[in-house]
Amino acid sequence: MRIVQIYSHLNGYEYLCYRKPHLWGEIESAITDVDANTLEKKISKEQRMVGRELFSPPAMNAAVGDAFRARGWAETRTGYWVTSDAQLIRKTMALPPAEQKLLIEESGAVPIASYNQTDFVKERIAVEVQFGKYAFVAYDLFVKHMAFFVGDLIDLGIEILPMKELQSRMSSGPGYYEGELYNLIRQGRGVPAVPLILIGVAP
């Protein structure tokens, strides 16, 4: 695949190229080493595209994922505890998970285990490969990357998305670079308050 577009939010791209250029090289090669045209295709049953051969989002996710894992990138999870009391959440949010649970219990509330997971992390750089449903992209950009950044687990979040030219040839309704770029810019220059890179790819 080829990298068609890059958008740098809060100087994310500049940070990566200056601080960790070797990681940008790994990200580039992980993308460009995947030949989308050799991956499994699906024959569409959708009314407007019956019989068309379309790219399979799971196959593309898997291929790009394998390329990242081969370069030493690994999934990361961070656990935390939530409850229905907003003030209690504010008190516990910055604490380690065990202390969160204890304080919630001591307050008489019910602690509920939760977690955030990101596809790949290496040297405090998080990468999400997003060829899935469009709603997941907003969650990645405005919740997941933000949570890892605020938790001091990453310095930068990266979102890999199909360009519209690829998305229109995929078998489900994933988000696409141009649309998510609009959504990001619409929030203003400082939102979300985490450095990001959007990468748009195509075959």
Side-chain angles (χ1 to χ4, degrees):
M1 290 197 293
R2 58 196 164 91
I3 296 174
V4 181
Q5 293 287 340
I6 296 168
Y7 178 74
S8 177
H9 176 73
L10 297 181
N11 295 316
Y13 178 71
E14 292 76 10
Y15 170 85
L16 187 59
C17 288
Y18 181 73
R19 297 282 185 179
K20 301 181 180 184
H22 60 290
L23 292 186
W24 176 244
E26 289 184 8
I27 292 164
E28 281 189 304
S29 65
I31 293 168
T32 58
D33 281 359
V34 173
D35 183 354
N37 293 305
T38 66
L39 300 178
E40 175 190 352
K41 306 287 195 310
K42 292 179 71 174
I43 302 301
S44 177
K45 296 178 181 178
E46 298 172 33
Q47 187 173 0
R48 294 185 306 174
M49 298 190 290
V50 173
R52 280 185 60 188
E53 189 177 62
L54 302 173
F55 289 106
S56 165
M60 298 189 87
N61 262 330
V64 177
D66 288 345
F68 273 97
R69 280 185 285 273
R71 290 160 174 79
W73 294 72
E75 174 187 302
T76 297
R77 289 190 179 204
T78 180
Y80 56 95
W81 294 85
V82 300
T83 188
S84 60
D85 186 322
Q87 288 192 345
L88 193 50
I89 285 177
R90 290 189 183 96
K91 286 181 185 176
T92 60
M93 188 174 288
L95 298 175
E99 292 180 33
Q100 292 176 358
K101 184 174 188 281
L102 183 61
L103 186 55
I104 292 170
E105 288 174 335
E106 288 176 348
S107 301
V110 177
I112 302 166
S114 191
Y115 69 91
N116 276 315
Q117 171 268 334
T118 195
D119 288 345
F120 303 105
V121 176
K122 189 174 185 180
E123 296 180 33
R124 295 176 60 88
I125 307 300
V127 174
E128 285 290 326
V129 181
Q130 195 50 269
F131 296 122
K133 294 294 184 182
Y134 63 87
F136 297 148
V137 180
Y139 184 78
D140 288 349
L141 295 178
F142 295 98
V143 178
K144 193 183 288 188
H145 288 309
M146 188 62 151
F148 276 83
F149 183 71
V150 170
D152 197 29
L153 297 172
I154 66 168
D155 297 314
L156 169 68
I158 298 172
E159 198 79 5
I160 299 174
L161 298 161
M163 297 294 294
K164 183 63 178 177
E165 64 175 282
L166 171 56
Q167 187 258 9
S168 64
R169 298 168 60 197
M170 298 178 84
S171 63
S172 65
Y176 58 97
Y177 177 89
E178 295 91 335
E180 299 306 329
L181 176 63
Y182 179 89
N183 291 337
L184 183 59
I185 291 174
R186 180 172 55 188
Q187 302 301 319
R189 295 182 65 180
V191 179
V194 51
L196 299 168
I197 304 173
L198 262 60
I199 299 175
V201 301

